[in-house]
Amino acid sequence: MAIISNTVGYLDGDVLLEGFFAYDDSVEERRPAVMVSHAWAGRNDFVKEKALKLAELGYFAFAVDMYGKGVLGQSNDESAALMQPFMDDRNLVLKRMEAALYAVKLMPWVDDKKIAAIGFCFGGLCVLDFARSGVDIKGVVSFHGLLGAPENKQATDIKAKVLVLHGCDDPMGPVEQVVALQQELTQAGADWQIHNYGNTMHAFTNPVANDPDFGTVYQADADKRSWKSMENFLTEIFE
């Protein structure tokens, strides 16, 4: 087995984006694809490592670029500034996710009937919004994602199965938002699951997260459990 990886440029309008992809070249047939949507800092090494892990599982993994080639936040303030336009106009989220999906479907290693998307923090919001749009993919997984629905735009017909992996003590996703999301997904006819991890804050999959005052703390058990839940979910939806 050899994991092949590279970057590829793609466009959203006139904005040049750069995705990172990885796959196992010992798999001869076309395989399911998993899009990986990054947190607020941009397409960094964290999502690159997740893509490589997905490739080891036999998937074609594609780390999405929401901000533009080479654009990365170097501090919380910079990352917040990069994310804010997408929070202000959630249609921008959909445009970038649609551009990435188009790029993924062009890849010769991909079974374009079997595509899923996972995301972390801001990336969790991105994949949930993608599902809310009614996109015809197999499923989405949000890891400690931002949960709030776009203003005045509740989902009506969600085709993708939804798995939400959430920390019970996440200050960026309080219980009121969890309940609202459950109601929204139910009303939209979604096949959904929410796994709530006790004694767990935001960014629980990120080993360098260690700022309890900000609400971001790595939690090793939740990290392992959530990844295993994702593996089981992907196996199910790609059957």
Side-chain angles (χ1 to χ4, degrees):
M1 179 180 81
I3 301 299
I4 306 299
S5 64
N6 208 338
T7 57
V8 60
Y10 64 104
L11 294 171
D12 174 19
D14 60 356
V15 178
L16 176 61
L17 306 159
E18 186 178 67
F20 172 87
F21 67 88
Y23 64 94
D24 177 357
D25 73 346
S26 70
V27 179
E28 295 183 358
E29 66 272 12
R30 291 175 180 259
R31 72 218 71 193
V34 182
M35 300 163 58
V36 185
S37 192
H38 57 73
W40 66 345
R43 189 190 62 73
N44 55 13
D45 287 344
F46 179 84
V47 286
K48 175 181 175 180
E49 292 304 314
K50 299 300 182 185
L52 291 169
K53 287 180 67 175
L54 286 162
E56 291 172 359
L57 295 174
Y59 301 116
F60 178 89
F62 187 92
V64 174
D65 179 7
M66 296 295 287
Y67 294 157
K69 182 178 179 179
V71 178
L72 289 172
Q74 302 299 328
S75 66
N76 285 349
D77 287 344
E78 286 185 13
S79 298
L82 289 170
M83 180 180 70
Q84 196 57 48
F86 296 88
M87 302 302 293
D88 293 339
D89 181 0
R90 300 280 276 273
N91 287 323
L92 292 178
V93 171
L94 296 182
K95 287 183 73 237
R96 292 289 158 89
M97 293 297 291
E98 288 163 358
L101 178 61
Y102 182 78
V104 167
K105 287 183 174 181
L106 292 177
M107 295 293 178
W109 309 278
V110 170
D111 179 349
D112 62 9
K113 303 298 184 186
K114 293 184 176 181
I115 297 177
I118 73 172
F120 300 82
C121 306
F122 167 61
L125 175 143
C126 293
V127 302
L128 287 174
D129 274 11
F130 209 26
R132 288 177 170 116
S133 75
V135 65
D136 190 12
I137 62 174
K138 291 296 186 180
V140 304
V141 183
S142 166
F143 289 83
H144 43 82
L146 306 178
L147 306 179
E151 282 190 33
N152 304 318
K153 192 176 181 182
Q154 292 286 314
T156 56
D157 182 21
I158 294 179
K159 300 180 181 69
K161 294 183 179 181
V162 178
L163 173 61
V164 176
L165 305 166
H166 189 70
C168 187
D169 300 322
D170 186 341
M172 302 172 201
V175 64
E176 296 82 8
Q177 288 190 0
V178 176
V179 172
L181 179 63
Q182 292 175 172
Q183 294 171 341
E184 178 193 5
L185 294 173
T186 298
Q187 291 167 4
D191 179 330
W192 64 267
Q193 306 170 56
I194 295 179
H195 297 190
N196 221 0
Y197 301 107
N199 304 305
T200 303
M201 301 180 81
H202 193 70
F204 59 78
T205 65
N206 188 345
V208 302
N210 184 26
D211 188 350
D213 291 337
F214 190 55
T216 55
V217 177
Y218 178 63
Q219 219 281 11
D221 287 338
D223 184 17
K224 289 185 289 187
R225 291 167 181 168
S226 61
W227 189 259
K228 180 57 69 175
S229 292
M230 179 214 68
E231 288 186 35
N232 294 339
F233 178 77
L234 293 178
T235 298
E236 174 193 324
I237 65 174
F238 288 142
E239 283 181 342

